[in-house]
Amino acid sequence: MKPTPVLRAALAVLFALAGLGARAADLPGAPPGPVVTTEQVRAELMAQAPDGVAAGKPLWLGLQLQHRPGWHTYWKNPGDSGLPTTLKWTLPPGFAAGAIEWPTPRRLPVGPLLNYGYEGTVLLPVAVTVPAGFQGDALAVKLHAEWLVCKDVCIPQSGDFALSVPTQAATAGQAAQFAQAQQALPHPAPGAQASAGFEGGRLVVRVAGLPAAWRGQALHLFPETPGLIDNAAAVAATWGGDAWTARVALDPQRTAAPATLPLVLTAPGEAAGVEVAAAVTAAWPAAAPAAPPLPALTTGAATLPADGAAAAAAPAAPAAPVGLALALLLALAGGVLLNLMPCVFPVLSLKVLGFARHAHDRRALLAGGVAYTLGVVLSFVALAGVLLALRAGGQQLGWGFQLQSPVVVAALAALFTLIALNLAGVFEVGSLLPSRWAAAQARHPVLDALLTGVLAVAVASPCTAPFMGASLGLALTLPAAPALAIFATLGLGMALPYLAASAWPRLAALLPRPGVWMQHLRTLMAFPMLATVVWLVWVLGQQVGIDGAATLLLLLLALAFAAWALGSPTLGPLARRGFGATALVLVAGALVWAAPVLHGSAVAQPAGPGAGAEADGAWQPWSPERVAQGQAQGRPVFVDFTAAWCVTCQFNKRTTLHDAAVQRDFAARHVLLLRADWTRRDPAIGAELARMGRSGVPVYALFPPGGGGPRLLDEVLTPGEVRGALAALPAR
């Protein structure tokens, strides 16, 4: 019996469990309402329709955020760090929600950084267009909102809201809130004229015609476009009659050069600012590259600017054809090296079995190699397409994002359990499938090789090999076609060694003829699969707690019993029917029990970026503010971007980062050690990785004391590299 046909049935279980995860969100629970409360924020969905809900009449919706003392959220340009609040509306057909009309922000200094946002209470209003002919007693409104709330740490939060708006006027209380929000909106200054130019590498903004009461006041400038100026730098401002002139330092890593610069200006004691649009009258000075030049990607270290931004735009992609060609070459090399990563080892077991099976049938061996390559490449492209689509929709996701879902982790654990049981001879796939299916498998063995390629990508995607981090980070900044080409080349590189071996008959001749040894090899290969299951159960425990891990073990036990009862070749028909019926009941009960736990509803989510990271010794949870504070104190900062599902991360953590000499060097140089745990989805960490030109973990960033950009170390970390990077730091 060939071992690889189990992949077909096991993948069916994978998709079934994924479907369970999609339905788990619909399990009974409290329906959304107009208010969501956390320890830091009270968020409320509000509406205002003073003349009723009808075409041509004003209708306003909005999210009010009431911050606890000391906490804040962000403006549409968050400044040096942060993320703006996002609102996604679900309205009846024909209704159209506009953009957020942002109230005037305030300056929020955090150490050496300067952010823009809101404290206290703020209402983010949105104008809604009502379609002609709308009728009804009430308007059903749903909202999904996401915001980043910060104090000493930053916590990404979200909420689902629902509100039924009567067709009559909104409540007086909400009307007052919207009136106050309207008063806080920046307004145009009649007669104001603004222009912008450049002197000595600085942006010079000149605004004439401002309100007379503002003249001589110390004004603050808020650029609506992020990433253009050095927000924390001092602004040299002067008045000349009714004209205000400000000289502002530019951000050396800016990625935009707009012809018009929209600004909000505020004066002391004024609740609302004024909006001006400064026409840029000269060419923008050349900016430093937002990422290292592409040839530097062949090394493990790079230097990036340290602006502390957690939400800055991704680095601009090089437009030169040579740059793309080199990126494809790096992707090919990274794909080849991916085979050496520990996460790929279990799938190598299946490839070894397939290679041994057809070692002396050159035609079948070559067909299997081509099919495996096709499965790997297509899976890379499909997974990349999903990733690119989700990122285009505003999701902060990176490579290996699927393992941030407990349902996917559980599904993979079930898949590898079934593969291990099949390899160990506990059940045979032929006993589970109709005879005509088994015959079809015999006629199409290349399909098993293709599915092995699909499985290889599913398991390998959490890992990042040398050269992969830079090429993946670049791919996510490119248009879809070249980006998918880079991902396809990664897949080709991963499959290349097996494809070459299947086409080289001398290598196959080294293997002995098929015999009893192959059955022993098949049983032996079950143990790497079980080791993978142990790892996946541990990953799930990191995500949803010990109860979740125990629930998964119970589910795997029921699944193993079902596989034996329905597929054991030693059971007779009567015993199979009796045990099989019992097994199906047990599996169904285990799925019902596991659904809410695997969906994450049984465990509180991490409190913020890095909150799930273990406090090993001196390690602390990461946040952009902690990086900036550490540098401001004159300390180097080492950040470990990691995840429980990243095998390479865990290997580096238990070897290099726990090396005694490395620990001594950390202590001797007073390095602030921060751990950014990406085990579960964290938009702040995803944005920071994108800022550094990376799309997955591991990433190791060493920030020098006093300020400056990070040095990025190799994905496969060695003690010598870490100690060398520490030795190269400037003396305190």
Side-chain angles (χ1 to χ4, degrees), residues 514-539:
V516 177
W517 69 272
M518 293 184 61
Q519 183 60 41
H520 297 322
L521 178 63
R522 171 184 171 178
T523 303
L524 179 64
M525 291 300 99
F527 292 97
M529 302 297 159
L530 293 174
T532 303
V533 175
V534 172
W535 165 61
L536 290 168
V537 171
W538 176 78
V539 169

Side-chain angles (χ1 to χ4, degrees), residues 387-578:
L387 174 60
L388 293 172
L390 291 175
R391 287 176 66 94
Q395 301 293 319
Q396 287 293 343
L397 299 174
W399 192 241
F401 69 96
Q402 69 277 16
L403 284 189
Q404 292 176 329
S405 166
V407 174
V408 175
V409 173
L412 287 175
L415 172 63
F416 278 94
T417 298
L418 290 176
I419 293 175
L421 294 175
N422 175 254
L423 293 174
V426 173
F427 76 99
E428 297 293 346
V429 178
S431 301
L432 297 175
L433 300 178
S435 58
R436 62 179 182 276
W437 288 19
Q441 290 175 352
R443 291 194 303 268
H444 304 287
V446 294
L447 184 58
D448 292 321
L450 186 144
L451 291 177
T452 304
V454 175
L455 181 63
V457 175
V459 178
S461 58
C463 283
T464 303
F467 307 120
M468 270 190 68
S471 56
L472 286 177
L474 175 64
L476 295 180
T477 69
L478 295 174
L484 292 178
I486 290 178
F487 281 102
T489 306
L490 277 167
L492 178 62
M494 180 178 173
L496 193 59
Y498 187 70
L499 180 63
S502 65
W504 190 25
R506 290 187 178 181
L507 181 61
L510 298 177
L511 294 174
R513 293 287 176 181
V516 177
W517 69 272
M518 293 184 61
Q519 183 60 41
H520 297 322
L521 178 63
R522 171 184 171 178
T523 303
L524 179 64
M525 291 300 99
F527 292 97
M529 302 297 159
L530 293 174
T532 303
V533 175
V534 172
W535 165 61
L536 290 168
V537 171
W538 176 78
V539 169
L540 191 81
Q542 297 291 310
Q543 294 176 331
V544 298
I546 187 64
D547 289 344
T551 299
L552 177 58
L553 290 173
L554 179 64
L555 177 60
L556 296 181
L557 177 62
L559 191 64
F561 179 65
W564 169 79
L566 297 174
S568 174
T570 62
L571 289 179
L574 183 60
R576 181 169 298 174
R577 284 195 295 270

Side-chain angles (χ1 to χ4, degrees), residues 150-586:
C150 296
K151 188 178 179 183
D152 297 325
V153 297
C154 288
I155 305 174
Q157 296 178 343
S158 63
D160 291 305
F161 304 81
L163 182 66
S164 179
V165 183
T167 55
Q168 303 302 316
T171 63
Q174 292 184 348
Q177 297 289 350
F178 278 93
Q180 185 177 1
Q182 290 292 332
Q183 294 174 0
L185 295 180
H187 54 273
Q193 297 179 342
S195 62
F198 305 97
E199 292 180 5
R202 296 171 72 87
L203 174 69
V204 180
V205 178
R206 185 178 185 277
V207 185
L210 289 170
W214 285 26
R215 295 175 188 174
Q217 299 287 325
L219 306 185
H220 289 312
L221 177 150
F222 297 86
E224 295 188 13
T225 306
L228 290 180
I229 70 170
D230 184 348
N231 301 289
V235 176
T238 58
W239 282 93
D242 69 341
W244 179 76
T245 303
R247 289 171 171 79
V248 186
L250 291 170
D251 185 345
Q253 306 301 328
R254 62 191 177 277
T255 57
T260 302
L261 196 61
L263 304 169
V264 173
L265 303 180
T266 63
E270 297 289 339
V274 298
E275 291 180 317
V276 296
V280 180
T281 59
W284 284 79
L294 192 56
L297 299 179
T298 56
T299 67
T303 301
L304 298 173
D307 59 2
V322 174
L324 179 60
L326 183 55
L328 293 173
L329 182 61
L330 293 176
L332 185 68
V336 172
L337 293 175
L338 187 60
N339 288 281
L340 303 178
M341 299 296 103
C343 54
V344 188
F345 178 72
V347 180
L348 290 178
S349 303
L350 295 180
K351 293 199 293 182
V352 167
L353 282 173
F355 196 81
R357 178 80 180 180
H358 302 289
H360 299 279
D361 185 345
R362 182 180 178 186
R363 185 173 180 180
L365 189 63
L366 181 59
V370 172
Y372 172 78
T373 301
L374 185 63
V376 170
V377 173
L378 291 180
S379 299
F380 259 92
V381 171
L383 196 57
V386 173
L387 174 60
L388 293 172
L390 291 175
R391 287 176 66 94
Q395 301 293 319
Q396 287 293 343
L397 299 174
W399 192 241
F401 69 96
Q402 69 277 16
L403 284 189
Q404 292 176 329
S405 166
V407 174
V408 175
V409 173
L412 287 175
L415 172 63
F416 278 94
T417 298
L418 290 176
I419 293 175
L421 294 175
N422 175 254
L423 293 174
V426 173
F427 76 99
E428 297 293 346
V429 178
S431 301
L432 297 175
L433 300 178
S435 58
R436 62 179 182 276
W437 288 19
Q441 290 175 352
R443 291 194 303 268
H444 304 287
V446 294
L447 184 58
D448 292 321
L450 186 144
L451 291 177
T452 304
V454 175
L455 181 63
V457 175
V459 178
S461 58
C463 283
T464 303
F467 307 120
M468 270 190 68
S471 56
L472 286 177
L474 175 64
L476 295 180
T477 69
L478 295 174
L484 292 178
I486 290 178
F487 281 102
T489 306
L490 277 167
L492 178 62
M494 180 178 173
L496 193 59
Y498 187 70
L499 180 63
S502 65
W504 190 25
R506 290 187 178 181
L507 181 61
L510 298 177
L511 294 174
R513 293 287 176 181
V516 177
W517 69 272
M518 293 184 61
Q519 183 60 41
H520 297 322
L521 178 63
R522 171 184 171 178
T523 303
L524 179 64
M525 291 300 99
F527 292 97
M529 302 297 159
L530 293 174
T532 303
V533 175
V534 172
W535 165 61
L536 290 168
V537 171
W538 176 78
V539 169
L540 191 81
Q542 297 291 310
Q543 294 176 331
V544 298
I546 187 64
D547 289 344
T551 299
L552 177 58
L553 290 173
L554 179 64
L555 177 60
L556 296 181
L557 177 62
L559 191 64
F561 179 65
W564 169 79
L566 297 174
S568 174
T570 62
L571 289 179
L574 183 60
R576 181 169 298 174
R577 284 195 295 270
F579 284 124
T582 303
L584 292 178
V585 171
L586 291 175

Side-chain angles (χ1 to χ4, degrees), residues 72-98:
H72 60 266
T73 54
Y74 294 93
W75 188 46
K76 59 181 173 181
N77 172 11
D80 283 329
S81 65
L83 291 169
T85 300
T86 61
L87 307 179
K88 295 183 180 179
W89 301 95
T90 301
L91 301 171
F95 284 78

